[in-house]
Amino acid sequence: MFKKDLLKDKRILVTGAGTGLGKEMANHYAEHGANLFICGRRENVLKETATEIEDKYEVNVNYESLDIRASKDVDDYVGRIFEDAPLDGLVNNAAGNFISPTKDLSHKGFDAIANIVFHGTFYMTHSVGKRWIESKHKGSIISILTTWVWTGSPYVVPSAMSKSGLNTMTQSLAAEWGKYGIKVNAIAPGPFPTKGAWERLNPNGDDGSVMGEVPLGRVGEMGELQNLATFLMADGCDYLTGQTIAIDGAQYLTGGGTFSNLDKLSDDEWEQIRTMIRSSNTKDKADRG
Ligand code: HXC
């Protein structure tokens, strides 16, 4: 879809890139020429991912173990990167989540998610953004959200609340930082199965039906998400900012509609319904004389 040098020499930081969606996006950035900084909590996983990417593409991948909940560690890490040269892009991908009835959550359980998603993502965005402003360097921020930012979602309330806050951050900072050449967008992926997310959100291991129905009749393909993440990171569409883009096969629009379940009706059932509607129209007309 893109020229292989689209992101050549860009320096991009992807949080939580040791596994899952972060690793997939990092791979695609490297394939298009970017040098990478990847961080996450597990050093061994990061090291493996960094080696794997460097072996495949002619780019540098720096990895460092970092918990984004620790605000000072985040700022020190970003400071060290900028000592060499500014970053060009940041992908806020690191997250935490599990399904649970909200009444059974402890306050510590709520904090475990909110501290990673809501606080940690802000720390990272702030540490990078303020340095871009200081150094008058343009940059692109992409946060990985979910479609729950528009619909809310039962059983994942700490995540839905936190990601909604980041949706507001995306809109607010696009407006506040536009004058500095910083674009701020977000992606709201629907079901893109990855081991980490699926084990926590779909522990029964079924085919994804627990996630609701997708009009396209399938889960997302990783290449589709990678292409969107690369398009948003590249130069050439800077006027696109402050947006959260859903990539979910129209799942959330369908699930939210009053008539979504009509999707299941057969042609015969539709014919019966048409007949019933026509007969009640005819009766109405007769009643009106
Ligand atoms: C109820 C739970 C729980 C669970 C943890 N807690 N798991 N409560 N149900 N399944 C509670 C604990 O009991 C404890 O509270 C508190 O949370 C802290 O637990 P810790 O295990 O000490 O927390 P921590 O080590 O910080 O772990 C963070 C974590 C964990 C988020 C809870 O799951 C984790 O590290 N996950 C890895 C990242 C991840 O989740 N990736 C998937 C992201 S998918 P008490 O009071 O008992 O002490 C995603 C969106 C996908 O974000 C969207 C798909 C459409």
Side-chain angles (χ1 to χ4, degrees), residues 41 69 95-98 100 106 108-109 112-113 116 146 148 190 196-197 200-201 211:
R41 282 180 289 173
R69 287 176 281 198
N97 199 6
F98 52 77
S100 170
S106 69
K108 256 179 85 184
I113 305 304
I116 300 173
T146 71
W148 313 327
R200 289 174 185 86
L201 301 178
M211 307 296 292

Side-chain angles (χ1 to χ4, degrees), residues 155-211:
Y155 303 105
V156 284
V157 168
S159 167
M161 288 172 64
S162 301
K163 297 235 179 204
S164 298
L166 299 181
N167 186 42
T168 303
M169 179 186 83
T170 300
Q171 295 168 319
S172 309
L173 290 182
E176 188 175 330
W177 289 355
K179 59 180 172 288
Y180 304 117
I182 300 172
K183 63 174 179 170
V184 191
N185 290 296
I187 297 175
F192 282 83
T194 61
K195 190 170 177 293
W198 242 235
E199 277 172 4
R200 289 174 185 86
L201 301 178
N202 194 20
N204 298 335
D206 67 23
D207 63 359
S209 52
V210 70
M211 307 296 292

Side-chain angles (χ1 to χ4, degrees), residues 125-254:
T125 304
H126 179 257
S127 288
V128 172
K130 72 179 182 187
R131 288 181 171 83
W132 277 337
I133 294 166
E134 269 164 26
S135 59
K136 298 191 168 41
H137 193 85
K138 280 174 56 171
S140 174
I141 299 172
I142 301 170
S143 299
I144 304 303
L145 305 184
T146 71
T147 55
W148 313 327
V149 303
W150 299 298
T151 59
S153 180
Y155 303 105
V156 284
V157 168
S159 167
M161 288 172 64
S162 301
K163 297 235 179 204
S164 298
L166 299 181
N167 186 42
T168 303
M169 179 186 83
T170 300
Q171 295 168 319
S172 309
L173 290 182
E176 188 175 330
W177 289 355
K179 59 180 172 288
Y180 304 117
I182 300 172
K183 63 174 179 170
V184 191
N185 290 296
I187 297 175
F192 282 83
T194 61
K195 190 170 177 293
W198 242 235
E199 277 172 4
R200 289 174 185 86
L201 301 178
N202 194 20
N204 298 335
D206 67 23
D207 63 359
S209 52
V210 70
M211 307 296 292
E213 295 197 5
V214 183
L216 267 65
R218 62 173 174 86
V219 294
E221 286 169 15
M222 213 48 87
E224 296 171 318
L225 180 80
Q226 289 172 319
N227 284 333
L228 177 58
T230 295
F231 166 73
L232 287 177
M233 184 55 73
D235 298 325
C237 210
D238 290 356
Y239 216 51
L240 197 173
T241 188
Q243 302 304 310
T244 298
I245 300 176
I247 176 162
D248 73 337
Q251 181 193 32
Y252 96 91
L253 294 170
T254 310

